[in-house]
Amino acid sequence: MTTTLDASNLRLKDVQSLRKLTEHLNDSFTSLLSLENLTEFEQQELQVIRNIFREYYSEGKISDIV
């Protein structure tokens, strides 16, 4: 059975759910930077920020158009 969806109303979260997609992070960009190592606390804070951003982005609250 084929379902037709209005793509203009889809959010990233909807597409991920419909297509059963999961995000796999690749932190390879960090090797390009010459920064001091982050503390455990700083790493945890970054993870919190990353999760909040993903939630807002997947809900369509952040435009993906630059």
Side-chain angles (χ1 to χ4, degrees):
M1 183 170 115
T2 303
T3 303
T4 303
L5 301 171
D6 180 6
S8 64
N9 293 325
L10 288 177
R11 297 171 300 185
L12 178 60
K13 183 177 183 177
D14 300 325
V15 174
Q16 289 173 333
S17 176
L18 289 167
R19 302 300 301 161
K20 296 176 179 47
L21 301 174
T22 57
E23 182 177 359
H24 297 278
L25 297 177
N26 180 356
D27 293 332
S28 63
F29 71 91
T30 56
S31 64
L32 301 175
L33 303 173
S34 56
L35 302 173
E36 293 180 27
N37 290 334
L38 298 175
T39 65
E40 182 66 30
F41 176 76
E42 291 169 327
Q43 290 177 11
Q44 291 171 356
E45 287 293 304
L46 277 176
Q47 187 63 44
V48 169
I49 293 167
R50 181 183 288 167
N51 291 342
I52 292 170
F53 175 80
R54 280 196 199 111
E55 183 178 330
Y56 272 82
Y57 187 75
S58 68
E59 291 291 332
K61 296 178 182 177
I62 298 174
S63 173
D64 55 356
I65 301 172
V66 179

